[in-house]
Amino acid sequence: LRVRGPRSRRVAPLRLASLGAVVVLLGAGLFLLLHRVRPSTLGNDPADGAPVAHMTGFSDEVELGDVAELLSSDEVVFRVALDGDPGDGPLYFRGLALDRFDGTRWSSAATVRSEERPGALLPGPREPGTVRLDITQEPMPDGVLFSLGQVRDLAVHPPGARVDDDGNWRLLGPPRRIRYTVDAAPFRDQVLAPRDRRRLTALPITLPAIYKQVAVDVVGDAVTDIDRVQRLRDFLRREFRYTRRPADGEWDHSLYSFLVDRRPGHCEYFASALAVLLREVDVPTRLVNGFLDGEENPVGDYRIVRQSDAHAWVEVWLEGAGWVTVDATPPLGPEAPVAGTFGMVADTLDMAWYRGVLDYDVAVQIDVVRTASWGVQGALTGRGPSERGGVPWLGVGVLAGLVL
């Protein structure tokens, strides 16, 4: 008794100390699990019961002027880390290409198909010229997914997405915050089917005849489509004025007012004018709504793309080159940074929290908490791993009590 008594008294404090360490560490794990469903500073998640922010310009039907509502907002749309060389020019984050114009609005007439996408990209080396985008995106109406050019590979979880004939990708299911990876490269389609050419040069018969007259006068004696594109783009950049948001009552926000009355307009009007004028001379076009450049975060080594970065441009089909990005909007000076150094640090911490905790695999977190609960219960009851079975309710209760 003199031998075992002191030892038993020494074991009790050691057991309590071990139990305390296990409870604190694994209680923190349960906290992280529970915190998944709390609102994050990254934005509103429908899973949190919060509403999805309204964003015009990213649905299957877009009214001329819709983009103006985005240009005045600094709300974050997505954050993106790039792996690969995207080139020296501006970054055009492609969202939706729209191919049908009725005189006042653009819409999509492309055939949509669903695809099951894996949770990981295809193994092996990437194609030359491919850029990999790691995107953390806030909930988007209609589940629009973004890329730089054509999507060559896409990894999204859960593995469901749909794509149409114009290369527009959308998430299946309700809008939600999501992280996905895209391998992107310039479009490589080398053939345009006759039915697609008809679709991409079609215009309503109700358009003013002056549109045709303007297009023919500007292209003049141009022989090739690329010459026609350059002349019309340069004409719009040279002769028209840009404004982010026309004053209320200044004009009726129609393409006619912009193109004929020479009212100042934002990117959507420049893009619409170029697309329509090119179709008037039988060059296939589609209008693209997306985002331009964004703001670099040197602290976190990624770019922050906000609603105010919304932009519209044109994709033009050129024989031998396929789809080419053409921007008729006059070049603008550099935008003032939205966030200073402190803001970039805070945003980087938000991203680390989301990717390290909120975006962590739920199944793995549950397994961690289950193991923690067994550890607590074993420390309290003296039962070893070989005696485990069922649910460790005692351990779960202790951890839950610590957190709640």
Side-chain angles (χ1 to χ4, degrees), residues 25 51 70 76 94 114 120 123 142 158 200 202 238 299 306 324 336 346 359 368:
L25 292 174
L70 303 180
V76 173
R94 187 183 193 272
S114 295
D142 208 34
L200 294 159
R238 181 180 65 249
V299 179
R306 297 179 170 85
V324 177
D359 193 41
V368 168

Side-chain angles (χ1 to χ4, degrees), residues 52-291:
V52 179
H54 177 64
M55 284 187 61
T56 57
F58 292 96
S59 64
D60 286 332
E61 190 170 286
V62 178
E63 191 92 18
L64 273 179
D66 278 351
V67 168
E69 296 183 30
L70 303 180
L71 296 176
S72 59
S73 172
D74 288 332
E75 289 294 316
V76 173
V77 180
F78 59 85
R79 296 161 173 86
V80 55
L82 303 178
D83 179 12
D85 183 10
D88 297 328
L91 298 174
Y92 289 92
F93 293 103
R94 187 183 193 272
L96 284 182
L98 305 173
D99 56 18
R100 179 168 53 196
F101 185 62
D102 68 0
T104 60
R105 66 176 60 86
W106 287 91
S107 59
S108 177
T111 302
V112 178
R113 60 185 183 276
S114 295
E115 289 197 9
E116 290 295 321
R117 305 302 300 183
L121 296 176
L122 296 174
R126 285 179 277 168
E127 299 178 31
T130 299
V131 178
R132 178 161 294 175
L133 295 80
D134 183 357
I135 298 178
T136 302
Q137 182 170 304
E138 297 303 305
M140 281 287 294
D142 208 34
V144 177
L145 303 177
F146 293 88
S147 177
L148 289 175
Q150 187 178 41
V151 174
R152 299 292 175 85
D153 196 9
L154 169 69
V156 60
H157 184 78
R162 55 193 173 102
V163 62
D164 64 26
D165 290 340
D166 286 329
N168 300 318
W169 286 86
R170 297 174 178 85
L171 189 67
L172 294 179
R176 59 190 183 275
R177 188 183 303 123
I178 187 173
R179 183 179 178 185
Y180 57 99
T181 307
V182 176
D183 279 351
F187 279 87
R188 61 184 178 186
D189 304 332
Q190 296 301 314
V191 177
L192 190 64
R195 64 179 181 85
D196 288 327
R197 175 175 287 275
R198 290 192 296 271
R199 172 173 61 90
L200 294 159
T201 55
L203 289 171
I205 60 174
T206 55
L207 283 186
I210 194 171
Y211 293 178
K212 178 78 169 182
Q213 179 183 332
V214 169
V216 171
D217 288 346
V218 172
V219 300
D221 59 356
V223 176
T224 66
D225 282 351
I226 191 169
D227 288 338
R228 297 183 182 98
V229 170
Q230 290 175 341
R231 291 189 184 188
L232 284 169
R233 181 202 60 188
D234 293 346
F235 164 71
L236 290 169
R237 287 186 171 187
R238 181 180 65 249
E239 301 292 337
F240 293 80
R241 291 186 297 124
Y242 175 87
T243 180
R244 290 180 70 87
R245 193 178 186 97
D248 291 337
E250 183 178 340
W251 60 314
D252 62 3
H253 301 278
S254 69
L255 184 60
Y256 186 92
S257 291
F258 174 77
L259 194 54
V260 180
D261 297 336
R262 302 295 180 94
R263 301 295 188 183
H266 53 66
C267 56
E268 200 170 28
Y269 289 93
F270 282 89
S272 293
L274 179 61
V276 168
L277 292 178
L278 283 171
R279 288 189 178 197
E280 289 284 16
V281 291
D282 204 33
V283 178
T285 63
R286 54 196 185 197
L287 181 136
V288 181
N289 277 347
F291 295 91

Side-chain angles (χ1 to χ4, degrees), residues 4 11 18 28-29 45 50 69 95 102-103 199 215 218 272 278 288 293 320 343 381 388-389 403:
R4 299 185 62 182
V11 170
S18 300
D45 192 332
E69 296 183 30
D102 68 0
R199 172 173 61 90
V218 172
S272 293
L278 283 171
V288 181
D293 278 336
T381 63
R388 293 177 181 178
V403 174

